[in-house]
Each structure stands twice: as C-alpha cells, then as structure tokens.
Amino acid sequence: MSYFADVILPLPLGKYFTYSIPEGLFPSIKTGSRVIVQFGAKKYYTAVVRNIHCNTPEYETKNILEVLDPRPIIRPRQLEFWEWIANYYMCSVGDVYKAALPSGLKPESETMLQLNSECCIDEINDFTLKEKSIIDFLTNEQEASIATIEKSGIKNVMSSIKSLLERNIIAIKEELRRKYQPKTQLCIKLSFERGNEDRIRECFEDLKRAKLQLKLFVTFLEMSGFNRPGNETVVNRKALLERANISNAVLLALINKGIFVQYKQEISRLDGGKQKVEKVHELNPAQRKAYNEIIDSFCNKGVTLLHGVTSSGKTEIYIHLIKHAIEEGKQALFLVPEIALTTQLANRLARVFGNKLGVYHSKFTDNERVDIWNSLLKDNGIQVVLGVRSSLFLPFKNLGLIIVDEEHETSYKQQDPAPRYNARNAAMILAASFGAKTLLGSATPSIESYFNAKTNKFGFVELLSRHGDILLPKIEIADTRELRRKKIMKSGDISPRLAEASKSVLDMGGQVILFRNRRGFAPIVECQTCGWVPKCKHCDVSMTYHKHLNQLTCHYCGYTYEIPSKCPACGYPTIEVKGFGTEHIEEEALSAFKDYPVARMDLDTTRSRKAYEEIISDFEEGKTSILIGTQMITKGLDFERVGVVGILGADSLLNMPDFRAHERAFQMMEQVAGRAGRKGRQGHVIVQTSQAEHPIINQLINHDYKGMFNSQLIERQDFSYPPYTRLIYIYIKGRNEEVVQKASRWYADLLRQSFGQRVLGPDKPVIGRVQSMYIRKIVIKFENNASPQKVREIISTAEENFYAQNGFKNLILYYDADPM
C-alpha cells in the first residue's frame, strides 16, 4: 500500500501539497514532523506534515527526501491553531508556519554554484576578467555561494554569474542549510561501570605515586557522587579542573591511561543551574479580593478582564494565578506587548519560579528560541513562558492559563507580513482549545474588551486602589498655545513649568520621564523661502531629520540622504527644522539639566536586546536621572523614584486620522502618567498641549476612563464601528497607480454584489505610496453575528475572479481582519 503526506510549506500558498512517503521513511513520519521536500527546480524546503493518508492524488507526486526529527516537534493542537489563524485572518497556513517556527527550525535551501563538469572551459576564450575570476575561484573551491564569491573580493557578480549560467559554464546546486546548533559541553566519565569496586581499587593503586593524578581522580569521584547509589551526576570538564586546581595535562594523562573518557554532551541554553527561589509575596486586602473574584469568575467564564489602575499590583496577582496553575500541573503563558517589558518581569518571575520560567522574543538568538521550543516538548520542561505575541505558537502540552498584560496595546496586532493576527484575540482561541482560562489586564482596557465585560461576555474584576494607597498622579496642563502667545515659552519644547517641576524632583534625588511619541530630531524640514519639504522618493511621506547622523530618514522604507545646506528648489540656505522628536528632547534636556544623566529609549537606541536591558537597568538603579522615550516607556514599566512625568506634543496623539484616535490618546497618556509616584508620595504629571479644552484632556485630568469609554461608545454606535461591528481592511498594491486605482474600483464593485453597502471605498490611505508601491484601501463592515467562514468563502471567490482579470495578476492583494 502506498502512503502519502499532505505537507505545509513555508510559502504563501492557498493549499497543502501531497508527497509520497518512501517505504523506508514511513515508520518515522508523523503528523507534526518536519520533512525535507523538493518544490520547484532543485529547491529544498522544510515542510511540516499535516496529514498522512492512502489517497492517491491525480498528479504524479514527488518523494519526501528526509525526516528531520525522531519525534514530531509540532503538536496536532498547534496545527489546528495555525489553521484557525489562517482562516480568520485571511492568509495561508504557510504564512502562519513562517511566523510560528523560529528560524532555527526552518533549514533552508542555499543556492551554491559549481563548474559544469560537462562543459570544456579550455575551449572557450571570450571570458571577461570578472567571469575568469569567478571560474578560477570555483576551480579552487569546488563550490561556493554568491555571498562567498563576493566576500573573496569579486564585487557586483550577478550579471557575470547570469552570463555564465546562460552559457552552461557553471551550474546551480541547492544545499540544505541548517541553522540550529545545539549547545554542548565537554564532560568526563569513567571508562568502566560505576559499580566496579575492584577497578576503583586498581586505580588508587596505579595512581598512588602520581599525586596530582590521584588528586584529580578523587575530586572526580566526589563530584560524580560515585559512592551515592543511583546518583549519575554529569562532571563538567572545566568545572573538574577548576575544583581540583590542576592543569589539563594531568587530565590527559588519566585519559591516556584509560581511566577517564572525555565526551560531548548536549545541554540547554536555558539551564542556568539551580536558581534560588523566593516565596510569593502576600497580597494586600484589595489584591486578595480581586484574586478571589478572578478565581470565581473563571468558574463561569473562559475570559476575564481585570481593570486595575496603574500601580495597583496587577503583576503580583498574575504571579499568584500562575502559581495556582502550576500547582494544578498546568502550564502558563504570560504575554506582554513589548520586549522592553520582559527585562523587569523576567527578574520578578524568576525569583518565584526559578528554572520553570522561559523567556521568548525576537531579541533572543535563533538557538536560544529553539531551546525554549525543545524544552516545551519535554515532559519535564519549563512551565511558565514570558513572551511577546509570537509566544502563542510555542508547543504547549497542557496550557492552563494565559495572561495578556496591557491587553489594549496595539503591539499585540501583527501588521506586516501576514499573518496579521491580534495576539489578544488569538490567545482566547488558543486557551479555549486547551480548556484553559484567559485573563486580560489593563488600567486602560480596549473599548472592545471593556464592552464585552460590561455586556457579560467576559468576566469582570476591578482593582481601583493603588498599592500602598498611593494617590493617582496629579495631572497639570501646560497650555503651549497660551505660553507661546504670551512669549513665556519662546524657544525649546520643555515648558517652564515642566522644567521647574523636574528640577525640583531631580534635586531631591528623584527621577523624571519625558514622553514624546515621535523619534528622530525633527519630523519636518522646510525651506523658509519657498516652502520646499524633503520627501522620500519611494514613499508619500516627508523625511525625518536625525541630527546625530546628520541625515534625513524615511521611517517607512529606511531611505536616507544628508540634509542639504541649500534648498534644492530655490538655492537659498534657508532650510530649517520644525517640530521635535525624542532626539531633540534629549538635546534640550541635556542643556536644561546639566548635572543629571539623560537616556533615550526609542527604536534608534534599542536595536539590540542588551540595549533594552541596559537602559532599563540604569534607570532602575538610578544611574540615569531622566528617561526620554516613545511609547516604549508607557507600557507597564515599574520605577520607584519617578516623581515627574512630562507628556510633550499631546496634540499629535489627539489629531490622528483614525476612529480610535481619542481612545489611543487617553490610553497612552494615562499609561505614561501611571509611571509617576509608584512608591512613596503622589506623582506629578504635566501635559503640554495647545488643546487644553479637548474632552480627552479633561477626562485625563480626572483619570476618568469610564467617561472616555461612554463618550466613545456613543460615537462608535452612531458610525457603526467596533465593538458594534467587525472590520476588514482590503489593500491593493502595485507600481502603476492607474492600474491600482482601476483594480481597486473593480474589486470593490465585485464585493458590493455580495455585501452591498457594507463595502466602503476604495480610498487612498493617509500614506498612499510606500516603497514605490501605490496603495488603495477598501473597508468592509460586518455585523458581529456574521459568520467569519461564510465571509471568507465569499471573499476567496472574489479574489479568484480578481486575479483572473487581465492586468491584475502583478498586483498585491491582502487583508487585515480586525485592524487596530
């Protein structure tokens, strides 16, 4: 009987592909196994087995070439979750596969070049110098990648390689490149069985005249627990030499005598040795009440929302809930929106859970992430994972609890590439598949989550008092429009009131946070004579000035060039920068507070994992007095000595062209305000805005989340926005604007045949061109009770018709379900 496997390829393909299972490989292939298959001309991919069956396809199948794993590395429940993600968020399972597995688990085919053995090179004499250099290099090396050839000093080789390929002088060979390298350590063991007492006595007799060798032998016996029955302790080579304080030459002598054997042992990168753990802290009465209410809510609801004000001690409640889950033999997943948060939280959780904790995010190396993955596949692996949205795809076996901290954060929504999933919503589905519980936590919940809690879809628990009964921070408004009109704030972007309050706190040993949600030095550069503004040549956006690099940068495609000394339009040297970003605030703070160290935390300063940790650690320890940052600093960070928070440029938050603008502005400002006064006395927040009478500003002053919720809910209902409807954004991209416009109109009309007036657009988005691709957007609004499966089927049929049209095949069409 012939067997076949349907496999998932890491490609954006709308279906599974079927391969034959060779008889010799059949016993080792299971659902969830990684296998190597050929797809296309000599291109190898790591595929994941979805199904095994005996149904012969209508087409001729290729064989599976290799099985990578002695046992599956992906559980069946994970594959079902992948399929749900693909179906709901309207992408392929291959897209989900690429996002789910760390790179170290996806060996890829690397193009290697070699000389064609069937071609007689000596008979050809019309090579260019570069072609001759490539031939000479391959003659010596036998085979090499393009990157290796270029590293040898032969530059810009592509055209020459193309010419050599076309003339069959060189050939392509695909090699599988495995990325994951297990970590190993050198260990020492006896060359004979542990219970052989006679052999031990012989060793003592042989070594009695070699004192150093005898000392090393005795040290080994002590470290290995030789005399303790059942104790099979691994003896690390380096640790053995250090403990005995003996040179490597002595060890080699014992190996040569046949007493010791040296070998390599694979170890986990997660193994930090025995970690001292502490008892969980006792909850205060308010926290205990909230904890008990959450446990009670979980009896009836799969999802509960914890609305706890900033600094109310939500994290301590989370720790108790995780402990409860572990005691029941379950695993727990603690999701946070930003990598920056994992630094502080990992330390707190490790003190309680020790080696049961694993941390997972993109700043870790591929090898480290694979070790987390492998640990979860073991029966005695880690039980608690702290991570960002990609942690949802880990191979949990017995998940009992998912905590989504700061559940309102937009960082939980994946933007590009597909799958464009919302980790908060996906977490609920994943938890339900295990029969687990989901806790959403926030001081400023999303309107959708709060609405679901108020309408009894979710459980609901409130924690409205700060830990230690510290008052919520006092919020003061600095009206920049009046300050500039009265010429009180002539230059600079830190108002006199903010400067005064900050100086007072700094002089008393406190700290200050300055929040500005725009990086760079200045967002606008303009010629004062003719009004010329530098634009990105690939995107419809103005360039941002970065002073430390003295260059203009596009934050959408990365295009850069130096700021010109003269206007390229009129020739006058009247180019000036306008507005301000975090880099500008840093420069001003360094000037205004000369005696106090300043740090900046934004995308430009946190490119590496170490950078995150150093900035946060230095501020925690008081090495830095002033922290300037973008929204990274608004998300749950806990600093004891922050007395003043300054919110600069609040107007840019209020004036975003989005139906969620007011909700987001309130959330962001309330969250960053919550960093003040967390320990000790009440904090002080100064909001700089030219719209002092704006309703959101008044709600912020009073910490009035419910007022913001109620006012926004009325608007959402009036204009049929979430939570009363569900949205899908459809984007069409292409390099020809006229074709994109034509295609988007055609597609919108086609969709209206099924969805009627629920289809809006097409419209040009705020930024209508990115990376030289023109964009149009179509919006579909659905009733909440509409079947996602039915909607997907209708849109899939429409998409097939779209690509069948002449001229549309080169366009990119994709979907964003439940956009944020």
Side-chain angles (χ1 to χ4, degrees):
M1 182 181 291
S2 297
Y3 288 95
F4 302 90
D6 297 331
V7 304
I8 304 169
L9 288 162
L11 300 168
L13 304 170
K15 60 179 180 179
Y16 299 145
F17 286 82
T18 303
Y19 286 79
S20 301
I21 303 177
E23 188 176 340
L25 294 182
F26 179 74
S28 56
I29 291 182
K30 303 285 188 296
T31 297
S33 295
R34 292 180 304 158
V35 294
I36 301 301
V37 297
Q38 182 182 328
F39 187 78
K42 296 185 179 179
K43 189 72 174 177
Y44 302 140
Y45 287 100
T46 303
V48 173
V49 176
R50 182 62 185 98
N51 300 303
I52 298 172
H53 56 84
C54 302
N55 304 322
T56 305
E58 296 177 357
Y59 52 87
E60 184 179 351
T61 58
K62 295 178 181 178
N63 279 342
I64 288 174
L65 303 174
E66 184 182 350
V67 184
L68 291 180
D69 311 297
R71 63 174 184 168
I73 67 156
I74 299 160
R75 304 183 191 276
R77 189 181 274 116
Q78 281 179 278
L79 294 172
E80 292 169 7
F81 182 56
W82 288 12
E83 288 168 341
W84 179 86
I85 291 269
N87 187 57
Y88 189 85
Y89 291 102
M90 308 179 74
C91 62
S92 72
V93 180
D95 287 322
V96 184
Y97 167 22
K98 287 194 292 184
L101 258 66
S103 297
L105 291 177
K106 293 179 288 191
E108 293 176 356
S109 183
E110 184 177 73
T111 299
M112 304 295 287
L113 302 175
Q114 59 185 11
L115 294 176
N116 189 345
S117 59
E118 298 177 2
C119 177
C120 186
I121 297 173
D122 294 337
E123 296 177 3
I124 305 172
N125 54 18
D126 61 342
F127 294 122
T128 66
L129 286 174
K130 190 172 291 185
E131 289 171 348
K132 186 68 170 65
S133 298
I134 293 171
I135 291 169
D136 291 343
F137 186 79
L138 291 175
T139 300
N140 293 327
E141 299 294 327
Q142 304 299 318
E143 61 183 42
S145 67
I146 294 171
T148 304
I149 293 171
E150 289 190 325
K151 285 179 182 176
S152 72
I154 310 169
K155 302 300 182 185
N156 304 318
V157 298
M158 289 307 296
S159 59
S160 299
I161 287 172
K162 182 173 180 289
S163 172
L164 293 171
L165 284 169
E166 288 171 349
R167 295 151 68 188
N168 290 321
I169 293 163
I170 61 175
I172 285 177
K173 174 188 175 184
E174 293 293 338
E175 276 198 356
L176 200 65
R177 180 163 46 97
R178 285 176 166 84
K179 298 178 182 177
Y180 175 64
Q181 294 294 330
K183 185 178 181 181
T184 59
Q185 65 177 358
L186 283 174
C187 296
I188 302 298
K189 65 180 180 181
L190 294 173
S191 63
F192 49 88
E193 292 183 5
R194 288 167 55 86
N196 193 336
E197 298 289 344
D198 291 339
R199 185 74 177 91
I200 288 288
R201 281 191 288 272
E202 287 177 15
C203 290
F204 273 110
E205 185 66 28
D206 290 345
L207 300 175
K208 64 183 181 182
R209 290 184 179 84
K211 293 183 179 180
L212 292 179
Q213 293 178 25
L214 180 62
K215 180 182 178 183
L216 187 61
F217 183 66
V218 171
T219 304
F220 170 84
L221 294 178
E222 290 173 353
M223 291 180 70
S224 67
F226 185 83
N227 294 323
R228 296 191 293 274
N231 197 330
E232 191 70 42
T233 304
V234 171
V235 178
N236 178 277
R237 177 181 176 278
K238 182 179 178 183
L240 174 63
L241 293 174
E242 286 179 353
R243 180 160 169 181
N245 192 24
I246 285 175
S247 71
N248 186 48
V250 178
L251 175 61
L252 290 175
L254 288 173
I255 292 172
N256 292 332
K257 287 182 177 180
I259 295 174
F260 284 163
V261 174
Q262 182 172 279
Y263 66 101
K264 279 187 178 180
Q265 182 192 52
E266 186 174 326
I267 59 171
S268 170
R269 291 174 175 82
L270 311 177
D271 187 8
K274 290 283 185 181
Q275 189 161 355
K276 187 178 179 182
V277 296
E278 304 171 358
K279 288 185 178 180
V280 295
H281 296 150
E282 289 294 323
L283 299 176
N284 66 29
Q287 291 170 331
R288 174 58 60 181
K289 179 174 179 291
Y291 172 83
N292 291 333
E293 288 176 358
I294 291 167
I295 295 294
D296 291 342
S297 175
F298 280 162
C299 294
N300 302 307
K301 302 287 184 183
V303 182
T304 294
L305 173 65
L306 172 61
H307 179 206
V309 298
T310 55
S311 194
S312 56
K314 294 187 292 296
T315 303
E316 209 58 52
I317 294 174
Y318 299 156
I319 290 172
H320 278 256
L321 290 167
I322 293 169
K323 181 173 178 288
H324 179 73
I326 291 175
E327 287 170 351
E328 291 187 335
K330 306 282 188 179
Q331 296 168 312
L333 171 59
F334 191 149
L335 286 178
V336 291
E338 286 277 359
I339 294 169
L341 280 178
T342 61
T343 301
Q344 281 192 332
L345 281 173
N347 293 333
R348 290 183 67 175
L349 295 176
R351 286 197 292 268
V352 177
F353 301 113
N355 291 333
K356 295 176 182 177
L357 173 71
V359 182
Y360 189 85
H361 57 66
S362 61
K363 294 294 183 184
F364 283 114
T365 66
D366 282 339
N367 287 335
E368 288 170 320
R369 281 182 282 167
V370 172
D371 280 348
I372 290 279
W373 190 284
N374 289 338
S375 177
L376 285 164
L377 289 171
K378 298 174 184 174
D379 291 334
N380 59 346
I382 57 178
Q383 292 176 271
V384 185
V385 173
L386 171 67
V388 292
R389 59 176 182 256
S390 58
S391 306
L392 286 172
F393 298 114
L394 288 166
F396 295 101
K397 181 181 180 182
N398 193 20
L399 196 57
L401 174 69
I402 300 180
I403 294 168
V404 186
D405 193 25
E406 310 295 351
E407 65 85 30
H408 64 280
E409 278 292 343
T410 57
S411 300
Y412 282 123
K413 174 70 171 177
Q414 165 75 9
Q415 300 299 337
D416 281 308
R420 297 171 179 84
Y421 66 101
N422 186 318
R424 176 194 65 204
N425 299 345
M428 300 177 205
I429 300 298
L430 180 64
S433 73
F434 282 91
K437 304 300 181 183
T438 305
L439 180 68
L440 310 179
S442 178
T444 55
S446 65
I447 285 177
E448 289 90 336
S449 294
Y450 200 78
F451 178 81
N452 286 333
K454 285 298 185 180
T455 54
N456 209 34
K457 185 177 179 180
F458 296 168
F460 183 57
V461 175
E462 288 187 303
L463 181 60
L464 301 180
S465 61
R466 282 186 138 195
H467 186 67
D469 294 323
I470 303 297
L471 292 173
L472 285 167
K474 176 187 175 184
I475 297 181
E476 179 182 345
I477 303 302
D479 188 338
T480 54
R481 182 174 56 184
E482 281 297 297
L483 290 172
R484 294 193 190 282
R485 186 180 68 81
K486 294 177 179 178
K487 298 184 179 179
I488 297 173
M489 191 173 169
K490 295 179 182 179
S491 62
D493 295 292
I494 298 175
S495 66
R497 181 70 190 98
L498 176 56
E500 177 190 351
S502 299
K503 186 68 166 60
S504 176
V505 164
L506 292 168
D507 287 346
M508 291 189 295
Q511 292 174 306
V512 172
I513 287 178
L514 300 178
F515 166 65
R516 169 61 169 151
N517 200 35
R518 188 182 289 273
R519 63 188 174 103
F521 189 83
I524 299 172
V525 177
E526 185 180 41
C527 174
Q528 298 304 294
T529 303
C530 69
W532 172 82
V533 174
K535 295 284 184 70
C536 175
K537 71 176 186 178
H538 305 294
C539 312
D540 286 345
V541 292
S542 58
M543 306 281 277
T544 299
Y545 176 51
H546 289 255
K547 189 174 183 180
H548 75 290
L549 298 172
N550 191 35
Q551 69 182 20
L552 298 162
T553 301
C554 173
H555 287 171
Y556 286 84
C557 72
Y559 175 67
T560 61
Y561 61 86
E562 285 190 12
I563 187 169
S565 57
K566 293 181 180 180
C567 174
C570 67
Y572 286 97
T574 51
I575 295 176
E576 292 186 8
V577 297
K578 294 185 175 182
F580 58 98
T582 50
E583 194 181 333
H584 187 279
I585 300 301
E586 179 185 29
E587 183 178 280
E588 191 171 337
L590 286 167
S591 174
F593 311 109
K594 294 178 180 175
D595 298 330
Y596 300 99
V598 176
R600 174 163 55 93
M601 188 169 168
D602 56 25
L603 190 61
D604 297 319
T605 62
T606 55
R607 299 287 181 184
S608 68
R609 169 174 137 204
K610 188 177 180 182
Y612 272 109
E613 294 170 355
E614 284 182 353
I615 292 170
I616 292 170
S617 176
D618 286 352
F619 197 64
E620 266 187 314
E621 296 170 8
K623 295 177 183 176
T624 306
S625 300
I626 302 168
L627 180 62
I628 298 158
T630 56
Q631 60 180 343
M632 288 181 183
I633 63 174
T634 71
K635 302 176 183 180
L637 292 169
D638 188 7
F639 301 117
E640 293 187 4
R641 295 188 287 275
V642 175
V644 167
V645 168
I647 300 176
L648 290 75
D651 302 332
S652 64
L653 301 175
L654 297 169
N655 298 329
M656 293 292 291
D658 188 288
F659 74 92
R660 287 194 174 94
H662 290 175
E663 175 192 5
R664 296 248 175 85
F666 180 89
Q667 288 168 337
M668 208 171 286
M669 290 190 284
E670 180 70 11
Q671 287 286 340
V672 74
R675 302 314 106 203
R678 297 177 72 88
K679 299 286 190 296
R681 61 181 184 175
Q682 182 184 23
H684 189 183
V685 179
I686 297 173
V687 182
Q688 295 186 180
T689 176
S690 63
Q691 302 177 64
E693 303 303 318
H694 196 288
I696 291 295
I697 297 297
N698 188 54
Q699 290 160 357
L700 182 67
I701 291 171
N702 296 305
H703 302 283
D704 185 12
Y705 173 83
K706 291 179 182 177
M708 184 278 295
F709 171 79
N710 290 328
S711 64
Q712 290 302 300
L713 208 60
I714 293 168
E715 286 188 17
R716 303 281 180 90
Q717 190 168 27
D718 287 345
F719 295 100
S720 297
Y721 277 114
Y724 296 101
T725 58
R726 181 181 170 225
L727 299 180
I728 297 177
Y729 289 171
I730 302 173
Y731 292 94
I732 298 173
K733 289 184 176 182
R735 297 195 179 278
N736 186 309
E737 186 172 18
E738 188 177 327
V739 173
V740 170
Q741 180 67 16
K742 178 184 175 182
S744 60
R745 286 176 179 168
W746 186 93
Y747 196 44
D749 290 341
L750 180 62
L751 292 170
R752 285 191 183 95
Q753 293 176 19
S754 299
F755 298 125
Q757 296 307 306
R758 297 178 183 85
V759 180
L760 306 176
D763 291 316
K764 187 177 180 180
V766 176
I767 300 171
R769 183 174 62 106
V770 175
Q771 294 180 344
S772 300
M773 300 286 279
Y774 294 93
I775 309 168
R776 292 296 180 271
K777 182 172 82 170
I778 300 168
V779 177
I780 311 181
K781 291 183 180 180
F782 295 104
E783 297 81 0
N784 285 331
N785 59 2
S787 165
Q789 183 62 36
K790 185 66 176 176
V791 169
R792 173 71 191 262
E793 289 172 2
I794 293 171
I795 292 178
S796 294
T797 302
E799 183 178 336
E800 289 176 10
N801 291 332
F802 175 85
Y803 280 120
Q805 299 301 305
N806 288 331
F808 294 176
K809 291 182 180 179
N810 292 327
L811 298 177
I812 297 171
L813 174 66
Y814 67 90
Y815 308 91
D816 187 2
D818 299 339
M820 289 187 73

